[in-house]
Amino acid sequence: MQRLGGLGPKGGRIVRLFAAWVFAAAFVPGIAHALRNVDVNDGACDDGGSCTGPPCCSIQRAIDVANPSEVILVAAGIYIENVTLDRNVFLRGAQFAMAACDDRGNEAIIAPAGGVGLTFTSGSSSATVDGFTFSGGTRGMETTGGSLNRLKILNNRFAGFTDSAVFIGTDSTSTLFEQNAIDGSSAVGANGLFHVDDDNDFDGMKFLTNCVDNGVDTYGFFADGDHNVGPNVDTPTLEMADNRFSNNRVGATFGTQAGDQIQIVRNTFSDNRLDGLQGGIQNSSIDGNTFSNNGRFGLLLTSNGSSDSLAGAQVVSVTTNCFSTNGLGTGCENGTNDGTPCTTDTECTGGGTCTAPFAGAGIFFAADQFAGTISMNWANDNNIYGNFSGMTYDGGETIDGTENWWGCLNGANTLGCDTASANITTTPFRTLPNPDTQCEPLEPTPTPTNGLTPSPTPTTPTTGTPSRTATPTPSATATDTATPSPTASPTATATPTATGTATATTTPTPTVTPTSTATGTLTPTPSSTASPTPTASTTGVLTATATISPTAALTSTATASGTATGTATPSPTPTATPTATTTAVITTTPTSTTTAVVTGTTTATATPSATPTAPITDTATATATVTPTATETATPSSTPTPTSTGPTPSPGPLDHFQCYETHRPPIRLNGVSLDDAFGASTVRVLREKRFCAPADKNDEDPTAPLDPGHLGVFTIKQTAPRFTRVRDFMVTNQFGTIAVDLVRPDAMLVPALKNHTDPVPGPFVQHTDYFKCYKARGRFRSDDLNIVDQFGSVVGAIKRPVRYCAPADVGGDGAPIIDGSTHLLCYQLRSAAGAPTHDLLHTLSPSPFDADAFTVFGPREICVPSTVQ
């Protein structure tokens, strides 16, 4: 089976099994809804009947006689009719539950002689249309007549239409458009293959796993209006995920300011003649997408010329995407449609020719927005290579373009790398491609300097068994001093002597006996200039060994000194070669401080400037001071003393937490150690996505909103070990016991303090545990809940669990787990009233998260204290 998109061969087999089960279940009393059948090819079909015995011949007849929530099964065949859907039914074609982007079997084809294939009218809210092909007419589907909510358009194919595949022209919230395939080869005009029209309300839409292709003169996805495409109670963040937009004029557009709080993730925008994705997107994340071979821009963040302060792209994070070979297309010039994407001269009118290169970019930041708004966007951790330009911006603000890979080792605007405009900050940058993106570009080959092959950096082995609070901090300083005092002599022979004295003093408190050894080796040859050529050589080597207790601090000081005095013989061709080398090797054992001070003479060769006539005495002194300090907590055979940072909080009942949406730049913390009930792991911390406040649910704890302990929710990627999905994990809380599947680690909760108006004064005091969270899948619904926190009050219901969180020990933080028995199960929140938005916060968390300030947009989850078996 050829994969064109959607679920692919394996997914196709899964949905076929699912479809077979659903079809069989439909005939089992008590399992499925009532059935009505349509089969135009059945010789006994009768449009005068009820479609429950002999099938109806037309789809419209079956709809007209159906009751709400009934299932209408339409067999494969061609249905030449214009269908009107005015009630909530499950309308299922021959390929229902089969992804339309994959190859599949015989289709139920709605092929109108003209006009619209299927029209949704008042009364059709919550209807489902699944598994058809819509062929011909002006539009495949259209909504008219009142507000239509929770429509589900699934697994359909659209082809042969002249205007739009789907045109949604009325308020239509919580629409699900999933696993459909649109071929716009026959479309004319610029309405868009999937079109949401004007200022109607489209909040809560999900656009998932669709293939939108071949709208060469139009948009693949078109939305325009005033912040009318965003989240609602059903969909906390609008999702445009896992789609393909290919060979359109523009892959997708959100107009001047239509899209707000959108997650645009894992889509492919490729081979579009102008731009991949464009518009005034706001408070959103563009993450994990592929932008390739688009004629002008892969991504265009723009207000489309509006200078309104509420218009244009604002607070958009562009992260872990691939931008390659964009901006290399051609456009018309010297005609009436200059700038139009083209491949041949025939596409250019008024005598124009298809020759002007777009000279575009992977990412373009428009400079005509309201002052100060375009710089509210940032682009980090992307792979950007092979574009005409990597990032382009011709305005006066400064845009964060750091931590991207630009196609070579040396960063943007260097040989072999993509370019970036002057006001885009590109340092620091990645020297290798980001492995977390959807693409796999070739890594650059290092070029040796001066014919030399770079040597690997040696790694010094460590000894002992330190606890997680070990913090070795060696430091070394070296000072070389040469003080020659020459007295000339025609003939002199140097006989250097060196003496060394080493002393070490320790005052341990013996309990156990680890060993600390400090070794310093000095071979200094500093610069010296004299008239004749004296030669003097001294090398001093010091070794000091002390035996200490892990609970005692050791201070060891050793000193070696030497002085060489002699008579030198001048050389006929004197040459001065001043060099100095100092080497110190220090090995320490936990909880020790060792200081070594070494003084020795040097080797000096001087060039004479006159005939020596007198004896010469040369005294050269070099001083090297090496002060390594290593402080660790050892693991001796006896009971160790725990180490903690700050006061240890007392265990107490864990609050409920209501969590709000936020959008923060990546923080890129690698190698973070987390240890929870599932064992030790290493994770990469990516960015903060939620902020959680202690909450009072149903007046159970009126003091909870006064508690200072908050939680920041940071997304993570586990790098080791590989996590194995856990099925039927039992979690118990006040709602009962629920079995959830733990899919993968997806977040960590970080303790935080909060202020609304001013930065939080330090120092940080911890009130809650760290938690490691796992994406959870399970089924649950509740009645309305009354929730009060420091942001206000909310009335809402919980829909399903979205993550399970276990108390976690964070390596190196010095803070023990406060309450290892209380866990959190976080549920998706459907807020019906009182959802506060756009609150500005100042927060303080432990290092390295530290202080921050950001805006939260509205409640998304509620986390409930829970226990596990």
Side-chain angles (χ1 to χ4, degrees):
M1 178 183 296
Q2 181 184 9
R3 176 177 171 80
L4 300 177
L7 298 178
K10 182 177 179 180
R13 289 193 292 272
I14 292 172
V15 294
R16 283 187 175 86
L17 291 173
F18 172 76
W21 178 85
V22 172
F23 188 85
F27 295 95
V28 179
I31 293 183
H33 302 280
L35 287 171
R36 299 183 190 272
N37 296 282
V38 181
D39 188 349
V40 69
N41 295 317
D42 189 324
C45 69
D46 179 13
D47 273 348
S50 65
C51 311
T52 55
C56 288
C57 302
S58 69
I59 300 171
Q60 191 62 58
R61 172 60 183 175
I63 292 172
D64 291 344
V65 298
N67 296 312
S69 300
E70 287 189 344
V71 176
I72 299 174
L73 293 178
V74 180
I78 300 175
Y79 297 83
I80 304 175
E81 53 182 307
N82 299 88
V83 179
T84 298
L85 185 59
D86 61 356
R87 62 201 70 190
N88 169 23
V89 296
F90 297 87
L91 188 61
R92 294 175 174 171
Q95 297 298 325
F96 83 93
M98 306 299 296
C101 295
D102 291 330
D103 289 341
R104 58 188 195 181
N106 294 329
E107 301 280 347
I109 302 172
I110 297 177
V116 179
L118 185 148
T119 301
F120 295 92
T121 64
S122 179
S124 60
S125 287
S126 298
T128 299
V129 180
D130 187 343
F132 289 87
T133 289
F134 293 84
S135 178
T138 55
R139 295 171 178 168
M141 290 181 181
E142 182 179 42
T143 66
T144 62
S147 179
L148 301 175
N149 302 320
R150 298 186 176 90
L151 295 176
K152 296 178 179 63
I153 303 170
L154 314 172
N155 307 301
N156 301 288
R157 288 180 168 174
F158 300 86
F161 54 88
T162 57
D163 184 52
S164 297
V166 179
F167 189 96
I168 303 181
T170 58
D171 287 350
S172 299
T173 62
S174 303
T175 299
L176 175 60
F177 192 79
E178 184 172 14
Q179 294 191 167
N180 301 280
I182 299 177
D183 181 353
S185 300
S186 58
V188 295
N191 263 336
L193 304 185
F194 183 94
H195 182 112
V196 291
D197 190 50
D198 206 10
D199 258 340
N200 293 297
D201 184 1
F202 307 111
D203 286 344
M205 176 184 296
K206 287 189 176 183
F207 195 88
L208 309 174
T209 326
N210 302 289
C211 305
V212 185
D213 304 321
N214 302 325
V216 293
D217 294 319
T218 189
Y219 302 89
F221 176 101
F222 179 91
D224 199 5
D226 184 4
H227 298 85
N228 58 331
V229 182
N232 67 357
V233 296
D234 290 330
T235 307
T237 303
L238 184 146
E239 295 180 54
M240 175 180 276
D242 301 299
N243 303 287
R244 184 184 70 203
F245 300 91
S246 178
N247 197 35
N248 306 290
R249 188 176 192 271
V250 173
T253 184
F254 284 91
T256 298
Q257 56 194 43
D260 190 10
Q261 300 181 54
I262 309 170
Q263 289 184 352
I264 302 175
V265 296
R266 299 184 304 277
N267 302 281
T268 297
F269 300 90
S270 65
D271 301 293
N272 296 290
R273 301 174 69 198
L274 199 61
D275 305 326
L277 172 65
Q278 62 173 220
I281 304 163
Q282 298 181 2
N283 304 307
S284 300
S285 58
I286 300 174
D287 190 0
N289 303 279
T290 298
F291 298 84
S292 64
N293 204 36
N294 297 290
R296 186 174 64 170
F297 304 122
L299 171 63
L300 169 60
L301 295 177
T302 178
S303 67
N304 289 304
S306 173
S307 59
D308 189 312
S309 63
L310 298 179
Q314 302 180 27
V315 196
V316 177
S317 64
V318 182
T319 56
T320 62
N321 303 283
C322 298
F323 295 91
S324 64
T325 60
N326 298 288
L328 306 175
T330 54
C332 297
E333 66 175 354
N334 300 324
T336 57
N337 61 339
D338 287 357
T340 299
C342 60
T343 54
T344 65
D345 288 348
T346 58
E347 300 173 65
C348 301
T349 58
T353 56
C354 183
T355 56
F358 277 121
I363 307 175
F364 184 86
F365 297 91
D368 54 0
Q369 292 188 187
F370 185 80
T373 59
I374 194 65
S375 58
M376 298 168 66
N377 308 294
W378 60 90
N380 311 119
D381 293 306
N382 303 285
N383 289 338
I384 305 172
Y385 60 101
N387 305 282
F388 186 91
S389 173
M391 287 189 200
T392 300
Y393 169 61
D394 58 5
E397 300 173 39
T398 300
I399 295 175
D400 180 3
T402 58
E403 295 293 348
N404 296 294
W405 183 66
W406 297 91
C408 68
L409 293 170
N410 300 318
N413 302 313
T414 62
L415 182 63
C417 268
D418 275 22
T419 59
S421 298
N423 283 357
I424 297 175
T425 303
T426 62
T427 302
F429 54 84
R430 286 181 170 271
T431 57
L432 293 174
N434 184 356
D436 294 333
T437 64
Q438 298 293 313
C439 60
E440 296 182 0
L442 294 177
E443 294 187 0
T445 302
T447 303
T449 304
N450 297 328
L452 301 178
T453 301
S455 301
T457 302
T459 303
T460 304
T462 59
T463 58
T465 312
S467 75
R468 67 189 179 102
T469 59
T471 312
T473 11
S475 64
T477 60
T479 305
D480 296 324
T481 306
T483 312
S485 302
T487 303
S489 174
T491 305
T493 303
T495 308
T497 60
T499 60
T501 303
T503 60
T505 304
T506 65
T507 311
T509 304
T511 304
V512 282
T513 54
T515 302
S516 174
T517 303
T519 302
T521 302
L522 172 66
T523 310
T525 322
S527 174
S528 176
T529 304
S531 296
T533 312
T535 302
S537 177
T538 300
T539 301
V541 178
L542 167 68
T543 301
T545 303
T547 301
I548 62 170
S549 162
T551 59
L554 167 69
T555 301
S556 176
T557 304
T559 304
S561 62
T563 303
T565 304
T567 304
T569 303
S571 169
T573 312
T575 305
T577 312
T579 57
T581 304
T582 301
T583 304
V585 180
I586 303 298
T587 304
T588 65
T589 302
T591 321
S592 67
T593 302
T594 302
T595 303
V597 180
V598 182
T599 304
T601 59
T602 66
T603 300
T605 303
T607 303
S609 58
T611 304
T613 58
I616 175 172
T617 301
D618 182 22
T619 303
T621 303
T623 302
T625 303
V626 182
T627 311
T629 301
T631 302
E632 297 182 345
T633 302
T635 307
S637 57
S638 60
T639 303
T641 302
T643 303
S644 64
T645 302
T648 302
S650 301
L654 190 64
D655 288 316
H656 288 66
F657 289 90
Q658 183 164 234
C659 303
Y660 293 79
E661 178 77 9
T662 188
H663 300 283
R664 305 301 300 130
I667 61 173
R668 299 178 293 274
L669 297 178
N670 294 321
V672 176
S673 298
L674 295 179
D675 195 349
D676 66 353
F678 293 93
S681 62
T682 302
V683 304
R684 179 182 297 122
V685 183
L686 303 177
R687 66 177 60 85
E688 189 168 11
K689 296 289 285 184
R690 300 275 194 273
F691 188 78
C692 305
D696 172 26
K697 178 176 65 62
N698 289 344
D699 204 27
E700 296 166 350
D701 184 5
T703 65
L706 303 177
D707 290 348
H710 292 61
L711 293 168
V713 184
F714 291 80
T715 57
I716 62 172
K717 178 180 179 64
Q718 183 161 313
T719 55
R722 183 174 181 179
F723 181 76
T724 301
R725 181 171 179 153
V726 178
R727 298 186 182 276
D728 295 327
F729 185 74
M730 308 303 294
V731 183
T732 302
N733 55 38
Q734 62 185 225
F735 296 116
T737 299
I738 183 175
V740 296
D741 290 351
L742 305 184
V743 179
R744 64 177 181 273
D746 76 335
M748 70 178 291
L749 308 186
V750 176
L753 304 176
K754 172 187 70 66
N755 271 346
H756 270 288
T757 55
D758 301 305
V760 181
F764 176 80
V765 178
Q766 183 174 343
H767 295 271
T768 58
D769 277 316
Y770 289 87
F771 291 83
K772 181 181 177 184
C773 301
Y774 301 79
K775 182 178 178 63
R777 289 182 178 171
R779 292 181 176 274
F780 182 81
R781 288 181 181 271
S782 81
D783 296 328
D784 283 348
L785 307 174
N786 295 300
I787 304 169
V788 179
D789 63 16
Q790 295 176 22
F791 298 99
S793 61
V794 170
V795 177
I798 53 178
K799 184 176 180 181
R800 59 186 176 86
V802 291
R803 62 173 53 89
Y804 152 78
C805 303
D809 182 31
V810 180
D813 74 318
I817 291 177
I818 300 172
D819 179 8
S821 63
T822 306
H823 302 228
L824 290 171
L825 189 62
C826 302
Y827 299 82
Q828 182 180 354
L829 181 67
R830 300 175 59 188
S831 56
T837 58
H838 296 283
D839 286 84
L840 176 64
L841 307 182
H842 297 272
T843 66
L844 180 67
S845 291
S847 179
F849 302 96
D850 300 324
D852 200 359
F854 50 83
T855 301
V856 293
F857 300 107
R860 300 292 184 258
E861 302 168 22
I862 182 168
C863 297
V864 179
S866 305
T867 59
V868 299
Q869 296 180 357

